[in-house]
Amino acid sequence: MGDRNAKEHFYAGLESNLASLREQGLFKPERVIASRQGAEVVCDDGRVLINMCANNYLGLSGDEETVRAAIAATEKYGYGLSSVRFICGTQTVHKQLERALSEFLGMEDTILYAAAFDANGGVFEPLFDENDAIISDALNHASIIDGIRLCKAARYRYQHNDMADLEAQLQAAEGKRNKLIVTDGVFSMDGTIAQLDKICDLADKYGALVMIDECHASGFMGKTGRGTHEHHNVMGRIDIITGTLGKALGGAMGGFTSARKEVIQTLRQKSRPYLFSNSLAPSIAGASLSVLERLSSSTELRDRLHANTAHFRKEISELGFTIKPGTHPVVPVMLFDAPLAQRFAQRLYELGVLVTGFFYPVVPMGQARVRVQLSAAHTTEQLDRALAAFRQAGQELGLLKN
Ligand SMILES: *Cc1c(COP(=O)(O)O)cnc(C)c1O
């Protein structure tokens, strides 16, 4: 007999979990933006805010040229495919984008996905089994962790960014048929850049493959924006690159895996998020193609992003804030205390700056922060207005060392 109370228990259980999240201050509300994404956004309450928390590194999300390219691709190829790639969902624009990504990243071949989450979810299981070992940085992205869970390979985890522990795990994995080291190219919470030169040396020493997730790097890391492998001068030594079209490279959505052609062919035959999920919309494929052409013809956006990053990092430190040192456009401004991080973000909102507080469990206990992200779209004037708001909120809350 169906127990009507049993169903009610389910809903009441959810309600009580949500209430406890709210009580602990861990509930994540969503701000509603009524304009395009950009250096400034208009919220649904009409407020205009300087946006310092988007992954819009190159400023292309709301960019006119990108929007035009998406419209042109829609006109030519239609709105969607109503098919997965292997049935009747592959158009010229998908093949062009796969070629362009391969060339941009310096890899042999590329396969597109609906998201980088899917690229990571579908990369391990087709390539590795119980005879193999996957050696993963402890702070790798959730989608890498989930992807590894779907695969039968033995799992080894090394302490974040710790090369001695990576070597110990490689030794522990001795005897396995294939070994794969996997790391985020850049870690999004701290802006830490993986030590790919050392990782590649260790991989060579122990006969391991190397995979990097370039979601916070593709398009702007390295001299010509190819990514962390260019930054560390190890292009040609990386076996598998996964990345997103949803951050610097235009910001819509979509992901990819790039590797040697036998890897990509295997994924096309066996990767479940590819086989059982719809083709990337032509508007996204066309716009991404135009973004790659633009980035290949000029490093202007990438250069502006790094100039903005250097300016903001210098000025915010001089104001007396504690930041995590580094060079990446992710700038963690440390508050250490969760309620304080939230009050600070709220005060900045009132002062016209959009940032988000991050606290446990997104970052370790006692490491609460607001994560600032710079964009090529920010003008110096906007950055200086944001910095003035940081100074005022910092003074009011007694945060400044100086
Ligand atoms: C954002 C992100 C992803 C997911 O990318 P989507 O394309 O949005 O699914 C995967 N890995 C890392 C490191 C990311 O930062």
Side-chain angles (χ1 to χ4, degrees):
M1 286 296 288
D3 178 357
R4 276 209 280 135
N5 274 336
K7 261 174 70 162
E8 285 314 313
H9 281 313
F10 169 71
Y11 295 115
L14 294 184
E15 205 35 75
S16 118
N17 291 343
L18 289 166
S20 110
L21 281 182
R22 283 193 195 92
E23 265 163 43
Q24 296 169 64
L26 299 177
F27 190 83
K28 295 181 281 302
E30 295 178 1
R31 298 231 184 259
V32 180
I33 292 172
S35 65
R36 286 187 188 182
Q37 184 64 279
E40 289 194 339
V41 290
V42 184
C43 283
D44 66 340
D45 59 6
R47 296 174 56 85
V48 180
L49 299 165
I50 302 172
N51 189 359
M52 306 291 290
C53 59
N55 299 312
N56 187 17
Y57 295 112
L58 297 175
L60 297 172
S61 306
D63 171 75
E64 198 54 32
E65 202 176 317
T66 311
V67 170
R68 291 287 136 209
I71 292 170
T74 301
E75 297 276 7
K76 179 164 182 188
Y77 292 103
Y79 174 63
L81 272 304
S82 300
S83 173
V84 299
R85 288 285 298 275
F86 82 92
I87 298 179
C88 54
T90 299
Q91 290 171 313
T92 359
V93 70
H94 297 108
K95 299 313 290 178
Q96 287 168 341
L97 177 57
E98 286 171 345
R99 264 199 303 279
L101 278 166
S102 304
E103 193 165 310
F104 187 77
L105 298 169
M107 304 295 277
E108 210 170 85
D109 199 359
T110 296
I111 178 175
L112 298 173
Y113 288 86
F117 207 104
D118 288 333
N120 285 331
V123 70
F124 301 103
E125 187 265 342
L127 301 174
F128 301 99
D129 66 22
E130 57 275 8
N131 299 306
D132 304 316
I134 297 174
I135 302 147
S136 174
D137 186 289
L139 290 193
N140 276 343
H141 190 263
S143 54
I144 295 178
I145 294 168
D146 286 8
I148 294 173
R149 280 192 188 131
L150 295 172
C151 157
K152 294 200 173 69
R155 300 170 205 167
Y156 297 83
R157 209 169 68 142
Y158 63 96
Q159 297 290 314
H160 172 54
N161 203 23
D162 180 336
M163 295 299 103
D165 196 34
L166 171 56
E167 180 152 25
Q169 300 306 320
L170 282 162
Q171 286 163 353
E174 261 322 313
K176 288 290 180 185
R177 183 181 54 190
N178 301 303
K179 296 187 276 293
L180 173 75
I181 303 169
V182 53
T183 180
D184 287 11
V186 172
F187 293 85
S188 63
M189 284 302 145
D190 290 345
T192 305
I193 302 167
Q195 304 173 67
L196 293 187
D197 43 351
K198 294 181 183 151
I199 289 174
C200 286
D201 289 347
L202 283 171
D204 289 348
K205 182 169 169 192
Y206 290 92
L209 300 152
V210 179
M211 167 177 153
I212 58 177
D213 173 337
E214 286 284 272
C215 285
H216 288 275
S218 294
F220 61 93
M221 291 300 289
K223 213 165 53 191
T224 64
R226 313 292 150 146
T228 318
H229 57 331
E230 183 184 33
H231 174 86
H232 271 307
N233 203 21
V234 293
M235 287 183 83
R237 297 178 71 191
I238 304 294
D239 296 284
I240 302 174
I241 294 179
T242 57
T244 186
L245 304 172
K247 289 174 178 146
L249 298 178
M253 60 191 303
F256 56 84
T257 300
S258 298
R260 290 226 330 224
K261 62 180 184 317
E262 46 275 52
V263 169
I264 300 307
Q265 281 172 4
T266 303
L267 295 177
R268 282 194 209 283
Q269 298 306 310
K270 296 192 170 169
S271 179
R272 291 163 69 84
Y274 183 81
L275 289 175
F276 298 106
S277 190
N278 210 39
S279 290
L280 195 67
S283 56
I284 298 177
S288 302
L289 200 51
S290 102
V291 164
L292 290 176
E293 280 163 15
R294 188 160 158 189
L295 299 186
S296 302
S297 70
S298 158
T299 60
E300 184 199 337
L301 292 175
R302 176 253 174 237
D303 296 345
R304 209 181 312 150
L305 170 63
H306 290 290
N308 282 346
T309 300
H311 177 66
F312 188 87
R313 279 184 172 273
K314 172 168 171 288
E315 297 294 323
I316 195 88
S317 304
E318 283 180 13
L319 285 177
F321 284 97
T322 304
I323 64 169
K324 292 246 178 188
T327 55
H328 193 270
V330 164
V331 185
V333 179
M334 303 305 293
L335 287 303
F336 304 105
D337 176 68
L340 185 60
Q342 271 179 306
R343 278 214 305 285
F344 187 57
Q346 177 56 31
R347 186 63 186 129
L348 283 168
Y349 180 81
E350 292 159 11
L351 294 170
V353 177
L354 186 57
V355 288
T356 312
F358 286 90
F359 34 83
Y360 183 81
V362 178
V363 294
M365 197 70 91
Q367 292 280 301
R369 67 194 63 181
V370 299
R371 182 181 65 174
V372 169
Q373 290 172 282
L374 281 303
S375 170
H378 289 128
T379 63
T380 308
E381 186 272 331
Q382 286 166 334
L383 294 182
D384 290 343
R385 262 196 292 139
L387 284 158
F390 270 86
R391 184 178 57 201
Q392 183 175 337
Q395 278 168 348
E396 288 172 6
L397 296 176
L399 299 173
L400 305 184
K401 286 178 294 190
N402 300 346

